[in-house]
């Protein structure tokens, strides 16, 4: 089977990720720096540092989203969940105008958001990534139908 992309391939919102991680580091450093500059006790300073670390952690969770496609299927990593799908489970890959991210229509009738492809900052990149994932899913559906008929 000839695919446009070599597998495995990882889709993630690169610019958004860079912004979130950079903001997380800056916020952590500013809050920790303020804690060191103020005349605070050790417990109060520690609470500032822990607050900064928690904010960084929350932004890092937002930045971890991705979609990984390989020969056997797709792994969707969202903010608080990770789900592995076989190619046969993916009926359709959707990114309609105004959608905040790609939605995968599944064979069980449900839809799974795939936050790893989102048009927020890099719209053209998200469209290209959605089209690439759609082409991969369609190619596997066509191959599956040919096997079923042959």
């Amino acid at each position: 089977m000839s695919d446009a992309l070599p597998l495995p391939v990882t889709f993630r919102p690169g610019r958004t990720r860079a912004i979130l991680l950079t903001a997380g580091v800056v916020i952590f450093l500013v809050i920790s720096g303020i804690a060191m500059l103020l005349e605070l006790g050790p417990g109060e300073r520690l609470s500032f540092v822990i607050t900064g670390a928690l904010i960084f952690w929350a932004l890092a969770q937002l930045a971890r989203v991705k979609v990984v496609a390989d020969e056997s299927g797709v792994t969707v990593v969202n903010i608080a969940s990770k789900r592995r799908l076989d190619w046969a489970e993916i009926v359709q890959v959707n990114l309609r105008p105004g959608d905040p991210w790609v939605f995968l229509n599944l064979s069980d009738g449900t839809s799974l958001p795939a936050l790893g492809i989102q048009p927020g900052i890099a719209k053209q990149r998200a469209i290209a990534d959605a089209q690439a994932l759609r082409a991969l899913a369609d190619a596997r559906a066509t191959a599956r139908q040919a096997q079923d008929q042959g």
Side-chain angles (χ1 to χ4, degrees), residues 14-78:
R15 291 181 187 165
T16 301
R17 185 171 195 244
I19 290 168
L20 288 168
L21 293 175
T22 301
V25 168
V26 169
I27 290 169
F28 173 76
L29 292 174
V30 168
I31 290 175
S32 297
I34 289 171
M36 299 307 148
L37 293 173
L38 295 176
E39 294 181 22
L40 302 172
E44 293 170 314
R45 281 191 176 145
L46 182 61
S47 69
F48 269 72
V49 172
I50 290 172
T51 299
L54 286 172
I55 292 170
F56 173 78
W57 177 82
L59 293 175
Q61 290 301 108
L62 293 172
R64 75 187 273 267
V65 299
K66 64 183 175 180
V67 177
V68 181
D70 59 34
E71 289 297 334
S72 61
V74 175
T75 302
V76 177
V77 179
N78 287 332

Side-chain angles (χ1 to χ4, degrees), residues 67-148:
V67 177
V68 181
D70 59 34
E71 289 297 334
S72 61
V74 175
T75 302
V76 177
V77 179
N78 287 332
I79 296 167
S81 67
K82 179 178 178 179
R83 183 164 174 194
R84 177 73 185 164
L85 301 165
D86 290 330
W87 285 109
E89 293 179 77
I90 302 171
V91 175
Q92 190 175 29
V93 177
N94 283 320
L95 180 60
R96 296 175 301 258
D99 280 352
W101 40 71
V102 162
F103 288 91
L104 304 177
N105 291 341
L106 306 180
S107 58
D108 65 2
T110 64
S111 181
L112 176 67
L115 279 62
I117 303 175
Q118 50 182 266
I121 295 174
K123 184 177 182 178
Q124 294 308 315
R125 169 70 187 264
I127 292 170
D129 287 351
Q131 289 171 340
L133 184 59
R134 182 178 300 128
L136 289 168
D138 289 348
R140 271 139 187 87
T142 301
R144 197 169 46 251
Q145 288 171 354
Q147 286 176 352
D148 291 345

